[in-house]
Amino acid sequence: MILLARPSPQGDGRHVVAVFGVGLVGGAIVQALRRSELAPSVELPLSWQDANQRADDLLRITEAMSGVAPEAGPIQRLDVVWAAGAAGFDAEWTTLNREIAAFEDIAAWTRSLSSRWRSATCVFHMLSSAGGLFEGQRFVDADSIPRPARPYGGSKLVQEKIVHGLRKEMPGYIYRPSSIYGFSSTGRFGLLSTLVSNAKKHATTRIFGGLDTVRDYVLSSDVGGFIARRIEGAEPSSQTFTLASGKPASVSEMLEIARKVVGRPLYLKLDVQPSNASHITYRVSALPQDWRPTDLETGIRLVSRQLALSFEAGALQR
């Protein structure tokens, strides 16, 4: 996890942000905050597997909060961001329950911080999953009811209910992105970054959905920037956001855009009986007014460029 701090925009004191999970979206949040001069930062370990170790780690993180940028004054605003979770779409409850236990610990720890620094405004941010909650639904809007089709979505619904409980004591934001793609130097690759990377290496990519499966894709840096703006907001209030493009594309359309951008053939392995073939689309009316998603072709070009730069940097280091 990463701690960041800056002088509070509301006056004397500090604004501290704790980001749990620095993969594709968590890393994008941190990058966006660093661009807005939210610094310095401290990286600290947190055990996801051992509850006792996690409790000790959280105590150390609390101590570190007191020591990051103390010259700015007392803590006036504290934002806790949950962007963690290594379990994939097909994960079972045995794996997901461990993530829920870690999430419950972070939520309880956040509640303790609001008691420790009573004069500070404490805000909680949770990264959920529109795809997990609305799998198989078309034209999702503000009135759509989550109906998870698999344990992954069920676990996100459990976590959202925990945030609803926190909202009785502090502002709590829930973000429901559609299918996220992007580049990250850490964490696992998503489908689009894997496609681009494998095309450059003439390697095969496995496609789990059907070619006619319709999905909605959003760039990780767009999601990270949107969450960063909520963190920097002067008057936080509990809200739930659907973050989608509102412009769905079939898997075959997405593959054609990727092939065009990369300029090389795509080597694909298609599932005869795809396990991830349900359509998921969203109405534009469900999206936040200040949300400006990057179009798919532009986003894939950006990811391709970032991957190329990463490959070049790796080659230079070798």
Side-chain angles (χ1 to χ4, degrees):
M1 66 84 57
I2 290 181
L3 285 180
L4 303 101
R6 67 170 179 176
S8 172
Q10 282 74 41
D12 293 339
R14 279 177 291 157
H15 180 187
V16 176
V17 182
V19 181
F20 292 90
V22 287
L24 193 58
V25 176
I29 295 170
V30 171
Q31 286 183 347
L33 291 173
R34 282 174 173 162
R35 283 196 296 270
S36 64
E37 300 180 358
L38 216 162
S41 63
V42 179
E43 189 167 352
L44 297 165
L46 180 76
S47 174
W48 300 110
Q49 304 299 325
D50 187 328
N52 291 328
Q53 181 61 53
R54 185 161 58 244
D56 291 341
D57 291 340
L58 288 172
L59 285 174
R60 295 188 183 92
I61 293 168
T62 303
E63 294 171 359
M65 285 178 167
S66 298
V68 62
E71 67 281 357
I75 296 176
Q76 298 282 1
R77 167 85 177 260
L78 175 59
D79 288 73
V80 176
V81 183
W82 173 273
F89 215 53
D90 291 324
E92 298 297 335
W93 278 113
T94 50
T95 299
L96 294 164
N97 282 332
R98 289 194 292 270
E99 290 196 357
I100 291 172
F103 182 78
E104 288 176 324
D105 286 348
I106 301 302
W109 173 76
T110 304
R111 187 177 286 109
S112 74
L113 296 181
S114 65
S115 299
R116 180 186 180 98
W117 289 294
R118 293 184 181 276
S119 61
T121 299
C122 193
V123 187
F124 193 84
H125 305 258
M126 178 218 162
L127 192 74
S128 185
S129 168
L133 296 175
F134 299 103
E135 183 178 2
Q137 296 191 44
R138 303 290 295 270
F139 311 113
V140 172
D141 60 19
D143 297 322
S144 296
I145 299 173
R147 291 193 294 269
R150 62 183 77 208
Y152 176 81
S155 71
K156 294 299 181 184
L157 200 55
V158 170
Q159 292 175 1
E160 287 196 5
K161 289 179 179 177
I162 294 170
V163 177
H164 287 304
L166 274 178
R167 283 174 170 176
K168 298 173 183 177
E169 304 171 43
M170 67 187 71
Y173 289 95
I174 295 173
Y175 309 93
R176 296 171 170 173
S178 58
S179 298
I180 299 174
Y181 70 99
F183 171 77
S184 173
S185 57
T186 62
R188 63 184 187 274
F189 274 16
L191 172 59
L192 278 164
S193 51
T194 299
L195 266 173
V196 173
S197 176
N198 285 347
K200 292 177 181 294
K201 297 182 291 187
H202 304 284
T204 301
T205 301
R206 188 175 181 183
I207 304 297
F208 292 93
L211 292 178
D212 62 344
T213 298
V214 177
R215 289 289 166 81
D216 184 292
Y217 302 92
V218 289
L219 189 62
S220 58
S221 57
D222 288 344
V223 177
F226 182 87
I227 296 174
R229 290 193 295 277
R230 305 285 86 71
I231 292 170
E232 294 164 344
E235 297 181 3
S237 60
S238 296
Q239 295 182 68
T240 298
F241 299 103
T242 297
L243 303 180
S245 71
K247 298 177 180 179
S250 68
V251 171
S252 61
E253 290 171 334
M254 179 270 291
L255 292 172
E256 177 56 26
I257 293 173
R259 185 203 61 75
K260 174 184 173 183
V261 168
V262 177
R264 295 183 182 182
L266 302 179
Y267 301 94
L268 308 174
K269 182 178 181 181
L270 303 176
D271 272 8
V272 177
Q273 295 181 317
S275 61
N276 190 12
S278 297
H279 303 303
I280 317 173
T281 63
Y282 309 86
R283 294 187 187 277
V284 173
S285 61
L287 311 180
Q289 290 187 349
D290 64 336
W291 167 246
R292 300 289 182 271
T294 302
D295 69 88
L296 186 56
E297 182 169 338
T298 301
I300 294 177
R301 289 189 184 280
L302 178 61
V303 172
S304 180
R305 191 178 309 121
Q306 291 171 324
L307 282 165
L309 291 172
S310 177
F311 293 151
E312 290 174 7
L316 288 173
Q317 289 176 359
R318 289 194 297 270

